[in-house]
Amino acid sequence: MLRHLLNPMDLSVEETADLLALAGKMEANPSEYAHICDGKKLATLFYEPSTRTRLSFEAAMLNMGGSVLGFSSADSSSASKGESVADTIRVISSYADICAMRHPKEGAPLVAATHSLIPVINAGDGGHQHPTQTLTDLSTIYHLKGRLDSLTIGLCGDLKFGRTVHSLMTAMSRYANVRFVLISPPELKIPSYVRESVLERNNIPYTEVVSLEQALPQLDILYMTRVQRERFFNEEEYIRMKDSYILDRAKMALAPEDMFVLHPLPRVNEISVEVDSDPRAAYFRQARYGVYVRMALIATLLEVKVC
Ligand code: NCD
């Protein structure tokens, strides 16, 4: 059956657990999985910049013996000539077995999925969702904390445009005793659709605060985010917002010893480099887990046999 991953909810809690378990096995025993995708092709259709997401998708497919093709900017694709996503995916369906798409427009991967003959993975659509970053985040939290339930998660920065925040909150809302502390300036609060469809519908406890210092002592996880410059309507507003939060050593002193700092990366100014050597800084480890969850996802959507 043709399956896509457009939203974290496209995988049930059980399927998510199976996928994280498979990612763990792939990390522990890479040689066992080195040929499971022999002869298969992944197309990476990136209409927006990316470093980690695109390269970790490509590394994931190469690690399993498959090959990759694609483009890394809209300028180098026929989108620049006016081709629609629907037409592009119809054609790519006969060139590749699976595709990962990043697009500046919310819903573009959904449009692609409705016209596709191959699995479509949403690799980030505008300010909407980024489900494979969420799988990476869940894997990281599980590695660090040994659980996905009973956690107080602080999300800090651009909660309005940050698609990784929307996807992580959506996924985490399905685990028991999860509480969110939403840390942002009033201008960058989470959108009302996330508040209604994720928090209120599921009765998830949350608080909204402006002060990071005030939030830090109560957190198990701090998820820092970059202010999403490319989604702002004017540059002055971005400049006014961009340094709203800077996590430094002095602020880390307010955090519990067992609180971990995650960040989807790229970081701009929001985490001072002096925090990198703190054992609680987990963002570079997080980027590494992204390869294994994407291997597990590709194998699952392609329905290749794995042990
Ligand atoms: C994130 C994204 O693209 O939304 N990056 C990523 O995929 N690791 C976060 C960001 O760009 O700020």
Side-chain angles (χ1 to χ4, degrees):
M1 192 188 66
L2 181 59
R3 283 193 72 180
H4 310 287
L5 179 69
L6 304 173
N7 182 299
M9 298 305 239
D10 292 340
L11 293 167
S12 68
V13 171
E14 294 71 31
E15 287 171 324
T16 304
D18 289 349
L19 209 141
L20 298 187
L22 178 58
K25 288 198 264 177
M26 288 170 150
E27 181 186 3
N29 238 327
S31 59
E32 289 215 357
Y33 302 91
H35 295 287
I36 59 171
C37 287
D38 277 358
K40 302 280 189 196
K41 293 191 220 93
L42 164 77
T44 51
L45 314 179
F46 276 60
Y47 296 84
E48 246 194 5
S50 169
T51 300
R52 269 150 295 272
T53 304
R54 187 170 61 85
L55 296 184
S56 66
F57 262 115
E58 297 193 357
M61 193 51 154
L62 297 172
N63 285 347
M64 298 187 291
S67 38
V68 296
L69 67 165
F71 52 82
S72 56
S73 80
D75 302 345
S76 64
S77 79
S78 282
S80 64
K81 302 181 187 169
E83 185 172 50
S84 68
V85 162
D87 284 3
T88 304
I89 195 69
R90 276 204 185 102
V91 174
I92 303 289
S93 287
S94 59
Y95 297 166
D97 301 284
I98 186 165
C99 85
M101 174 182 283
R102 168 169 290 189
H103 202 286
K105 284 211 181 106
E106 288 80 5
L110 171 65
V111 171
T114 60
H115 294 90
S116 182
L117 303 175
I118 58 174
V120 175
I121 302 169
N122 178 3
D125 61 329
H128 187 217
Q129 296 281 346
H130 192 346
T132 63
Q133 181 62 45
T134 296
L135 291 172
T136 305
D137 302 339
L138 296 181
S139 175
T140 308
I141 295 171
Y142 194 76
H143 272 89
L144 297 170
K145 289 291 196 185
R147 63 179 196 276
L148 293 174
D149 57 2
S150 307
L151 292 167
T152 300
I153 301 179
L155 299 132
C156 177
D158 188 347
L159 311 187
K160 179 178 180 187
F161 296 118
R163 55 195 174 195
T164 62
V165 167
H166 308 156
S167 284
L168 182 58
M169 289 177 68
T170 305
M172 289 303 301
S173 70
R174 299 188 292 183
Y175 300 93
N177 297 320
V178 167
R179 209 167 70 80
F180 294 113
V181 183
L182 305 174
I183 310 152
S184 76
E187 294 86 343
L188 298 178
K189 280 183 167 185
I190 53 153
S192 52
Y193 83 88
V194 178
R195 184 189 315 275
E196 281 148 28
S197 67
V198 177
L199 299 173
E200 280 157 20
R201 184 181 302 164
N202 300 301
N203 278 322
I204 312 277
Y206 71 97
T207 50
E208 291 187 292
V209 298
V210 174
S211 159
L212 175 57
E213 288 87 337
Q214 187 193 329
L216 274 167
Q218 41 178 323
L219 304 180
D220 296 306
I221 298 288
L222 172 62
Y223 194 89
M224 292 296 293
T225 62
R226 167 182 77 88
V227 177
Q228 306 278 298
R229 180 181 200 162
E230 63 275 37
R231 316 252 178 258
F232 277 68
F233 294 112
N234 73 66
E235 183 72 5
E236 294 87 81
E237 181 73 351
Y238 167 71
I239 289 168
R240 207 164 62 76
M241 290 290 124
K242 73 183 174 66
D243 292 328
S244 299
Y245 299 100
I246 299 178
L247 182 67
D248 57 14
R249 208 177 272 153
K251 292 198 187 75
M252 285 299 285
L254 304 171
E257 279 304 301
D258 60 351
M259 182 204 83
F260 290 98
V261 183
L262 273 61
H263 189 309
L265 303 177
R267 133 180 80 183
V268 187
N269 261 339
E270 58 281 354
I271 303 179
S272 160
V273 290
E274 68 187 24
V275 175
D276 296 358
S277 55
D278 188 306
R280 296 168 291 178
Y283 27 93
F284 291 115
R285 275 176 274 172
Q286 184 183 356
R288 201 166 60 83
Y289 296 135
V291 176
Y292 304 110
V293 294
R294 290 184 173 98
M295 288 170 69
L297 176 66
I298 292 169
T300 303
L301 294 180
L302 285 178
E303 298 180 312
V304 298
K305 285 225 171 354
V306 286
C307 39

